RNA sequence: UGGGGCGUAGUCAAGCGGUAAGACACAGGAUUUUGGUUCCUGCAUUCGGAGGUUCGAAUCCUCCCGCCCCAGCCA
């Protein structure tokens, strides 16, 4: 539909009647004012010192999404200014994760380290203009001189070295003539500033360590505040988006670009993502891996991109989630249920339905002929007719879910019980006639009868049953390992707890090795996703599946109103 | 006790002086060969609090309260 007047809306890129989040509003205002000549250039600037998590996904979707919406571009820039912590392995994993999420930076792959020469020139200019000096105070002294939040700092005795001396010292720093910590380059701003960031911040420090990209060329490396604004400037970024904790740094971002008279992008801060029942701080994530609470960075319980991928989440569901959570400036905690809703929504439409019994209970259908097998037609996806049908074998002995039978069923339990009739999906009505136990008294088998007239699942006499069960023919079943994942933490906000490790969910993983699946699943290719009817969505693990022997990860359960009723009944009792 | 931010439902989040969108969650109901899906219905007389301006305030002003960030040679 065409816009009639431009006065109320936010421009051609935002739906009628909507203004979009505050960053879109800023961009649209800039566009309308002709700022940046109508360009929109954003960037995603990870430090290659760890794996990306769902919080980074928010930033990736925001930056790449904005570039797409306004026909601009988004750069992938590695903020690799600290050789002590960064390495190539991380840059590769980050690239793989961004690609998997569905974004393409085309030729715009950059590294702050590519700019080290230009950054050095900029530093020289600052020194020449009297805006930076080499300080020979020790790290401890610098801290003492900085003052506190409520008291101003003091000037370093080295603050008024001559330009010539500063130039000479800085050059020597670059040549490796000093030890780490012996001196730093500082901006000469204001030791009494109420913004602590502005109390002569460090611009360069000495690191006698090879860098993963520049080798041993440098002995000095720029700090974030110096490298970041200038990298943005060099790349012609228009809107430099970052999280709220960098708000105090914006004054320095602006100061550096102003003093250097450089092209000046604008920094805009937004709130980072917090997700319930997990942690997203790098430190805590590392702890989970190192302490062995999980099996690596891509453990399906990890909130990392690689973890969600391994769990079976789709890129589209994560993108959709990032669109729905919004972009604002207030701290918030998004309910994990929203993410789960997003995968279910995607998979409900797209995943093939299949039958698999996780906890098998043997059922013998006494009036069904021995040694007979018949093929029954099952629908692959009721949400998408084009996905067609398949044939599944039925025979005298089948497995049903143990939880679908109760000897003494409570109210509202509609499934199988002694004497009760239910439907086997796509097959027949069966009635339970007997319960077989072992010596220990445990139920090991059910005896049932079937009604041949109900083939396919309908009774010609119009008789109704209250439940439909999934099942697998015992003789044809493929035995498989399935892992059931649950929330990693029992607390809503584990990061807030004094000891977050104490609220790790001891039941976050259950491995079942004797699941019985319908025969077609033997050929499930790695990375395939299915809905196991009545149970949930499952993913053929790309690491542990072998040809003919898939291993499944439960992505998420189906919504389960029966479980809710049970919970409510327990609560009452 | 310095400075910078932020407070709208259980959780996110629109709202930009004209009388509280939407989503998730939750609770009912209908349909259903998945206790799934889908579809209806309900869910803020009030926007952290108190004053003020105005015919009219979540939106403007004042004061108060609460939460987050900053004292790395990390990013």
């Amino acid at each position: 539909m065409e816009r009639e007047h431009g006065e109320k809306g936010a421009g051609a890129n935002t739906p009628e009647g909507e203004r979009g989040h505050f960053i879109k509003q800023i961009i649209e205002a800039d566009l309308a004012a002709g700022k940046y000549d109508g360009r929109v250039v954003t960037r995603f600037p990870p430090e290659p010192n760890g794996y990306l998590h769902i919080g980074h996904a928010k930033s990736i979707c925001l930056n790449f999404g904005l570039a797409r919406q306004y026909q601009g571009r988004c750069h992938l820039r590695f903020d690799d200014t600290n050789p002590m912590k960064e390495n190539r392995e991380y840059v590769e994993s980050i690239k793989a994760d961004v690609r998997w999420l569905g974004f393409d930076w085309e030729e715009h792959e950059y590294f702050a380290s590519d700019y080290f020469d230009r950054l050095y020139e900029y530093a020289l200019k600052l020194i020449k203009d009297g805006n930076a000096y080499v300080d020979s105070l020790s790290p401890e002294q610098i801290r003492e001189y900085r003052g506190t939040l409520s008291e101003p700092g003091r000037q370093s005795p080295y603050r008024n070295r001559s330009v010539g001396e500063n130039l000479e010292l800085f050059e020597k720093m670059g040549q490796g003539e000093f030890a780490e910590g012996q001196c730093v380059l500082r901006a000469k701003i204001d030791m009494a500033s109420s913004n602590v960031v502005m109390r002569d911040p460090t611009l360069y420090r000495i690191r006698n360590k090879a860098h993963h990209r520049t080798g041993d060329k440098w002995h000095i490396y720029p700090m974030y505040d110096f490298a970041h604004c200038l990298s943005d400037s060099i790349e012609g970024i228009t809107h430099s988006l970052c999280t709220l904790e960098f708000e105090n740094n914006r004054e320095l971002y602006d100061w550096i670009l102003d003093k250097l008279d450089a092209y000046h992008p604008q920094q805009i801060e937004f709130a980072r993502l917090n997700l319930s029942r997990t942690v997203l701080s790098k430190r805590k994530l590392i702890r989970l891996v190192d302490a062995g609470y999980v099996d690596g960075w891509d453990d399906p319980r990890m909130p990392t991109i690689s973890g969600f991928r391994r769990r079976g989440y789709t890129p589209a569901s994560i993108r959709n989630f990032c669109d729905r959570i919004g972009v604002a400036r207030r701290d918030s905690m998004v309910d994990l249920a929203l993410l789960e809703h997003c995968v279910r929504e995607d998979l409900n439409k797209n995943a093939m339905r299949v039958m698999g019994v996780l906890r098998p209970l043997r059922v013998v259908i006494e009036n069904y002929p021995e040694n007979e097998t018949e093929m029954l037609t099952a629908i692959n996806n009721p949400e998408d007719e084009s996905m067609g049908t398949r044939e599944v074998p039925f025979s005298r002995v089948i497995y049903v879910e143990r939880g679908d039978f109760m000897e003494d069923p409570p109210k509202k339990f509609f499934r199988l019980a002694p004497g009760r009739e239910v439907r086997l999906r796509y097959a027949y009505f069966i009635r339970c006639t007997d319960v077989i136990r072992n010596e220990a008294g445990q139920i090991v088998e059910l005896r049932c009868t079937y009604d041949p007239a109900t083939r396919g699942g309908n009774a010609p006499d119009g008789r109704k049953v209250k439940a439909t069960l999934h099942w697998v023919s015992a003789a044809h079943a493929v035995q498989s390992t399935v892992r059931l994942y649950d929330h990693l933490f029992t607390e809503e906000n584990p990061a807030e707890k004094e000891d977050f490790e104490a609220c790790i969910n001891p039941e976050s993983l259950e491995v079942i090795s004797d699941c019985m699946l319908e025969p077609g699943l033997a050929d499930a290719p790695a990375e395939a996703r299915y809905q196991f009817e009545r149970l949930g969505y499952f993913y053929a693990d790309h690491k542990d599946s072998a040809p003919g022997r898939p291993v499944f990860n439960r992505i998420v359960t189906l919504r389960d109103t029966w479980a809710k009723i049970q919970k409510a009944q327990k609560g009452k009792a």
Side-chain angles (χ1 to χ4, degrees):
Chain A
M1 187 189 286
E2 215 159 297
R3 180 178 300 276
E4 289 178 30
H5 311 284
E7 82 272 27
K8 174 96 181 171
N13 294 306
T14 301
E16 191 82 26
E18 277 178 36
R19 279 207 261 208
H21 55 70
F22 80 101
I23 296 177
K24 286 187 187 180
Q25 290 180 28
I26 291 170
I27 291 175
E28 307 233 351
D30 290 345
L31 254 19
K35 205 169 167 183
Y36 309 118
D37 312 315
R39 293 154 45 238
V40 174
V41 185
T42 57
R43 100 268 93 112
F44 173 62
E47 182 188 14
N49 74 339
Y51 287 80
L52 262 27
H53 55 65
I54 186 83
H56 293 109
K58 175 180 181 181
S59 176
I60 292 166
C61 292
L62 213 211
N63 281 293
F64 280 93
L66 253 13
R68 181 177 301 170
Q69 180 175 359
Y70 296 102
Q71 291 92 46
R73 60 177 202 264
C74 179
H75 299 180
L76 173 62
R77 180 172 74 233
F78 292 94
D79 219 338
D80 56 349
T81 57
N82 186 349
M84 315 301 277
K85 297 172 23 181
E86 300 151 2
N87 67 50
R88 283 213 166 91
E89 180 195 334
Y90 291 126
V91 346
E92 291 312 315
S93 77
I94 288 168
K95 283 158 70 171
D97 287 347
V98 175
R99 257 187 231 114
W100 178 78
L101 265 181
F103 296 103
D104 183 4
W105 53 93
E106 295 170 339
E107 71 272 33
H108 302 289
E109 177 174 317
Y110 305 111
F111 291 82
S113 55
D114 288 344
Y115 309 137
F116 282 176
D117 284 309
R118 296 170 75 173
L119 261 24
Y120 185 80
E121 292 301 319
Y122 275 125
L124 254 23
K125 179 164 191 248
L126 239 30
I127 294 171
K128 286 174 187 157
D129 292 345
N131 288 318
Y133 62 99
V134 173
D135 196 355
S136 300
L137 248 27
S138 69
E140 297 71 34
Q141 289 172 313
I142 286 182
R143 194 188 329 120
E144 286 162 24
Y145 277 67
R146 189 153 27 228
T148 69
L149 295 180
S150 52
E151 306 158 45
R154 286 138 51 212
Q155 297 191 350
S156 164
Y158 304 101
R159 196 173 197 260
N160 292 312
R161 292 217 254 226
S162 70
V163 168
E165 191 182 355
N166 283 141
L167 250 16
E168 188 187 325
L169 255 17
F170 187 53
E171 197 177 313
K172 284 185 176 170
M173 281 170 65
Q175 287 162 182
E177 293 188 23
F178 298 116
E180 288 182 15
Q182 210 170 25
C183 49
V184 291
L185 183 72
R186 291 231 254 171
K188 191 189 279 190
I189 308 180
D190 178 9
M191 290 307 292
S193 174
S194 51
N195 181 358
V196 185
V197 170
M198 298 299 276
R199 319 242 261 228
D200 288 11
T202 301
L203 266 20
Y204 269 91
R205 77 295 215 183
I206 296 168
R207 286 288 176 266
N208 290 313
K209 169 120 193 321
H211 184 280
H212 68 103
R213 297 190 83 246
T214 61
D216 54 12
K217 177 175 178 185
W218 298 92
H219 291 88
I220 53 174
Y221 294 92
M223 297 287 288
Y224 163 84
D225 287 301
F226 190 67
H228 202 91
C229 58
L230 287 167
S231 299
D232 282 348
S233 178
I234 288 167
E235 292 176 19
I237 300 300
T238 56
H239 303 267
S240 179
L241 315 182
C242 62
T243 44
L244 251 26
E245 66 270 25
F246 289 99
E247 215 165 343
N248 298 314
N249 300 58
R250 190 177 63 231
E251 193 178 352
L252 179 53
Y253 185 105
D254 292 336
W255 184 91
I256 292 170
L257 294 177
D258 285 345
K259 291 300 177 195
L260 260 10
D261 199 26
Y263 164 78
H264 201 146
Q266 64 176 317
Q267 173 178 312
I268 302 167
E269 311 85 17
F270 63 94
R272 69 189 315 156
L273 170 67
N274 292 297
L275 232 206
S276 66
R277 300 206 127 88
T278 190
V279 292
L280 292 179
S281 90
K282 203 166 276 178
R283 203 207 108 240
K284 292 191 173 76
L285 259 14
I286 287 171
R287 176 67 190 154
L288 291 175
V289 173
D290 288 350
Y293 289 116
V294 295
D295 186 26
W297 286 93
D298 65 348
D299 184 291
R301 290 165 292 180
M302 288 286 274
T304 49
I305 308 268
S306 53
F308 281 116
R309 177 183 178 187
R310 182 113 187 257
R311 177 79 165 256
Y313 273 70
T314 58
S317 69
I318 292 175
R319 276 186 255 122
N320 197 252
F321 170 75
C322 291
D323 281 346
R324 290 201 198 193
I325 56 178
V327 179
R329 286 176 68 87
R330 67 183 88 110
D331 293 314
S332 61
M333 169 76 66
V334 175
D335 194 336
L336 217 210
L338 180 58
L339 217 207
E340 295 181 336
H341 167 81
C342 290
V343 236
R344 287 192 187 107
E345 183 180 57
D346 184 1
L347 265 15
N348 175 53
K349 268 181 259 160
N350 302 308
M352 175 166 168
R353 306 296 116 124
V354 103
M355 290 194 287
V357 176
L358 264 25
R359 296 178 172 86
L361 205 210
R362 191 179 145 92
V363 174
V364 176
I365 299 163
E366 295 186 301
N367 59 338
Y368 193 87
E370 294 195 46
N371 305 319
E372 183 169 325
T373 296
E374 66 182 309
M375 300 305 284
L376 297 163
T377 302
I379 294 165
N380 287 335
N381 188 345
E383 305 294 317
D384 181 0
E385 211 178 305
S386 74
M387 286 177 73
T389 61
R390 67 185 187 287
E391 303 294 298
V392 290
F394 183 81
S395 61
R396 187 167 193 265
V397 181
I398 61 169
Y399 293 112
V400 299
E401 208 68 58
R402 284 201 102 89
D404 281 339
F405 174 81
M406 280 187 102
E407 195 162 27
D408 186 18
K411 247 194 163 69
K412 291 189 182 171
F413 182 89
F414 306 143
R415 281 105 97 144
L416 204 54
R420 195 182 282 177
E421 186 174 52
V422 298
R423 171 168 41 232
L424 294 177
R425 178 138 237 224
Y426 302 124
Y428 296 96
F429 285 10
I430 58 168
R431 186 181 297 280
C432 178
T433 53
D434 204 2
V435 178
I436 313 294
R437 299 166 180 284
N438 61 14
E439 291 121 27
Q442 296 159 322
I443 298 171
V444 292
E445 184 181 299
L446 262 27
R447 309 300 283 203
C448 293
T449 56
Y450 86 117
D451 176 356
T454 58
R455 188 174 199 274
N458 283 307
D461 62 1
R463 168 165 42 107
K464 300 279 187 228
V465 287
K466 294 194 84 173
T468 300
L469 270 39
H470 60 279
W471 53 274
V472 168
S473 167
H476 306 87
V478 357
Q479 186 172 335
S480 181
T481 295
V482 176
R483 300 129 154 187
L484 270 22
Y485 295 102
D486 197 358
H487 307 150
L488 227 201
F489 292 90
T490 54
E491 293 290 332
E492 199 57 28
N493 184 5
E496 204 177 45
K497 295 286 166 185
E498 62 301 321
D499 178 14
F500 83 103
E501 293 172 47
C503 50
I504 288 175
N505 180 6
E507 289 163 4
S508 63
L509 168 62
E510 181 183 0
V511 181
I512 310 180
S513 56
D514 58 348
C515 299
M516 296 296 178
L517 313 179
E518 67 171 70
L521 253 16
D523 304 318
E527 300 188 31
R529 300 178 180 89
Y530 301 91
Q531 183 196 104
F532 287 10
E533 291 209 43
R534 305 209 307 134
L535 298 173
Y537 295 98
F538 293 80
Y539 173 77
D541 189 282
H542 54 262
K543 274 196 174 170
D544 297 327
S545 292
R549 278 203 69 86
V551 170
F552 290 96
N553 298 333
R554 183 172 68 195
I555 304 166
V556 68
T557 62
L558 253 28
R559 280 188 64 225
D560 190 349
T561 36
W562 167 239
K564 267 181 214 167
I565 293 168
Q566 273 181 309
K567 216 176 160 187
Q569 284 179 342
K570 259 185 208 171
K572 271 184 216 162

